[in-house]
Amino acid sequence: MDVDKIRKDFPILDNIVYLDSAATSQRPASVIESINKFYKDQNSNVARGLYQLAEEATFEYEQVRKKTSKFISSNENEVIFTKNTTEAINLVMRGYGEKFIKKEDKIVVTMLEHHSNFVPWQELAKRTGAKFEVVGLTPEGNLDEADLVQKLKGANLFAFSAASNVLGTMPDLKRLCKLAKDAGAISLVDAAQYAPSHKISVKEFGCDFLTFSGHKMLSPFGVGVLYGKEELLESMDPFLYGSEMIRTVTSQKSDWNTSPHKFESGTPNVAAVIGLGVALDYLNNLEMENITSYTQSLSAYMYSRLNELDFIHVLGPEKRTGLVSFTIDKVHPHDIAAILNEDKVCVRSGHHCAMPLHEYLGIPASTRASIYFYNKKSEIDQLIVSLEKVKKLFG
Ligand SMILES: Cc1ncc(COP(=O)(O)O)c(C=O)c1O
């Protein structure tokens, strides 16, 4: 990885130390230009017009679906474009959950979950009368094995994250999908923090659903992906009704198109989807294996440098994705972030949309530094220098 060369594609990084890619990544020039180009030369709605411009826009849009399916090793009709991960999970909650989850069924999630993969299931349990159970953690921040096995018994749906956005924990995906399958449960993998820096093969994982957000992996805002197994998608109800998701409509009744169109109701964010295609090209050019090994080694460096500071409490296990959350006794994370900001170091502070996890850990909030392939060791060193300032200021 020639990071200095890569950074030329991200001029925004010249003046800041950006350590908040877990919230959203920066975008390379090629992605930014693709949006401009689309509106300038290709702009048209998709799946409607029969003139050349419209057909070309539709073709480009569907090419990105093809590219995305290759990116995750699925079939094309198993890729649904959504707004983001949150919408993708809600689509499954409404389209699958409300149709198939019944009173006394069991929905299982883990204590690692982002609200987007927690609240929809909690709400589904409330609406259907199903049980809602949360798998606990070990003191290091890994899933508690005994609790997992116990809670999966008799489960109907198991939703879990491939990488925690707070602790960085990365459970063994393949194994969890197999455990879910053996228990007779449908599995949903929230890959929002995993997809940006790890190879995805839904076939190899054996999951039923998988979701991620484009904006965390170089794409424009406004596009996310839901993968679902074909037979499950076909059995599901639509999430949103109207527009091009129909086959026929009469004044008496309507019926639906097949997947993925059944789930892409209304005009999609075409420019964002085109941008996603360019982002996937960028990632493919770098090769995901290189991104994984570079981000893992930078993350390990950040973890060990932070652990060297005696006033920092690092959260989560050593084996982790590209982020480290931590606390400092008697200093609010918002104050830490504000002081780091004076040195142009951008980190996130708060509950990171994981209030149940913070409550479980017995802390109100934490500070999180997260990296991507465009970050350098010198930026981690700057983080450490700025944190020393926090210590000085607060004594
Ligand atoms: C693990 C995880 N899941 C879901 C989400 C929600 O993603 P989005 O806001 O793009 O819907 C996030 C966002 O930070 C996340 O980190």
Side-chain angles (χ1 to χ4, degrees):
M1 297 279 283
D2 184 347
V3 178
D4 287 327
K5 185 162 168 258
I6 286 170
R7 286 171 74 96
K8 293 204 170 79
D9 295 330
F10 298 85
I12 196 170
L13 299 175
D14 291 351
N15 303 314
I16 48 168
V17 176
Y18 189 71
L19 298 176
D20 198 20
S21 291
T24 196
S25 76
Q26 295 299 341
R27 279 66 162 173
S30 57
V31 169
I32 298 168
E33 280 156 19
S34 72
I35 302 166
N36 194 27
K37 184 174 180 302
F38 175 76
Y39 283 119
K40 204 157 119 301
D41 301 331
Q42 301 167 304
N43 182 52
S44 163
N45 209 329
V46 294
R48 289 155 173 80
L50 291 177
Y51 48 90
Q52 192 179 339
L53 194 68
E55 291 207 327
E56 281 171 9
T58 305
F59 177 78
E60 291 298 324
Y61 182 87
E62 290 304 325
Q63 284 300 103
V64 180
R65 195 186 311 279
K66 208 176 251 185
K67 213 175 270 179
T68 309
S69 70
K70 213 164 150 215
F71 189 76
I72 62 170
S73 299
S74 74
N75 300 325
E76 270 170 61
N77 60 351
E78 294 175 320
V79 169
I80 295 154
F81 292 126
T82 62
K83 208 163 59 182
N84 47 37
T85 299
T86 307
E87 188 180 71
I89 294 171
N90 273 271
L91 191 158
V92 179
M93 175 249 184
R94 301 291 291 276
Y96 179 86
E98 290 198 330
K99 185 166 183 188
F100 295 112
I101 297 292
K102 303 272 179 278
K103 201 169 181 332
E104 301 303 323
D105 278 0
K106 182 152 78 160
I107 304 165
V108 181
V109 300
T110 84
M111 200 44 90
L112 293 172
E113 303 317 309
H114 186 281
H115 295 161
S116 295
N117 197 31
F118 194 98
V119 181
W121 306 121
Q122 193 179 46
E123 181 61 23
L124 179 65
K126 204 170 94 191
R127 288 184 189 189
T128 57
K131 292 186 221 90
F132 178 68
E133 298 200 350
V134 186
V135 176
L137 307 177
T138 63
E140 300 79 50
N142 289 310
L143 294 182
D144 179 327
E145 210 29 57
D147 198 34
L148 172 72
V149 170
Q150 179 60 31
K151 292 204 165 125
L152 278 182
K153 274 185 200 150
N156 301 81
L157 194 147
F158 180 36
F160 63 94
S161 58
S164 155
N165 69 317
V166 178
L167 302 185
T169 315
M170 288 200 295
D172 182 344
L173 280 183
K174 245 167 104 172
R175 189 168 161 269
L176 290 194
C177 292
K178 167 121 187 9
L179 283 177
K181 194 167 179 203
D182 292 348
I186 293 292
S187 56
L188 179 140
V189 180
D190 171 358
Q193 294 295 342
Y194 185 90
S197 48
H198 298 88
K199 195 168 167 27
I200 291 188
S201 168
V202 291
K203 295 229 166 74
E204 203 191 314
F205 297 167
C207 54
D208 293 304
F209 296 103
L210 181 138
T211 63
F212 58 94
S213 293
H215 71 90
K216 293 186 198 287
M217 45 195 292
L218 312 182
S219 305
F221 285 119
V223 58
V225 171
L226 168 66
Y227 155 80
K229 265 192 190 145
E230 188 171 350
E231 59 272 24
L232 286 173
L233 292 175
E234 290 310 334
S235 71
M236 282 161 62
D237 281 341
F239 170 43
L240 297 169
Y241 292 81
S243 190
E244 288 289 328
M245 50 72 71
I246 49 84
R247 183 177 291 128
T248 53
V249 179
T250 68
S251 47
Q252 280 77 42
K253 67 176 186 56
S254 308
D255 63 1
W256 325 128
N257 210 329
T258 50
S259 176
H261 309 291
K262 177 166 93 173
F263 300 105
E264 290 180 13
S265 166
T267 299
N269 192 337
V270 184
V273 171
I274 302 294
L276 171 66
V278 179
L280 295 183
D281 290 342
Y282 196 98
L283 295 171
N284 287 334
N285 280 341
L286 287 179
E287 294 181 24
M288 204 40 112
E289 286 80 0
N290 294 332
I291 295 174
T292 309
S293 65
Y294 181 77
T295 51
Q296 267 176 2
S297 75
L298 195 60
S299 180
Y301 179 70
M302 180 159 71
Y303 176 79
S304 73
R305 292 290 330 258
L306 284 165
N307 264 313
E308 282 165 14
L309 303 180
D310 58 2
F311 58 96
I312 297 270
H313 303 291
V314 167
L315 307 173
E318 189 168 351
K319 184 180 170 279
R320 59 177 54 235
T321 190
L323 61 90
V324 183
S325 298
F326 56 89
T327 58
I328 301 178
D329 288 341
K330 301 199 178 89
V331 186
H332 196 283
H334 288 351
D335 289 331
I336 300 172
I339 294 164
L340 297 191
N341 179 54
E342 287 173 10
D343 291 339
K344 298 206 156 101
V345 177
C346 313
V347 294
R348 171 119 184 240
S349 63
H351 53 63
H352 319 302
C353 293
M355 284 172 91
L357 173 59
H358 279 84
E359 192 188 5
Y360 188 80
L361 297 172
I363 50 174
S366 59
T367 306
R368 180 185 74 191
S370 55
I371 52 107
Y372 205 14
F373 59 78
Y374 41 60
N375 287 115
K376 302 196 285 192
K377 272 188 173 174
S378 58
E379 294 178 301
I380 308 300
D381 297 339
Q382 175 61 58
L383 168 71
I384 300 297
V385 169
S386 300
L387 283 170
E388 295 278 10
K389 275 193 194 168
V390 176
K391 184 186 174 185
K392 243 191 210 146
L393 261 167
F394 283 85

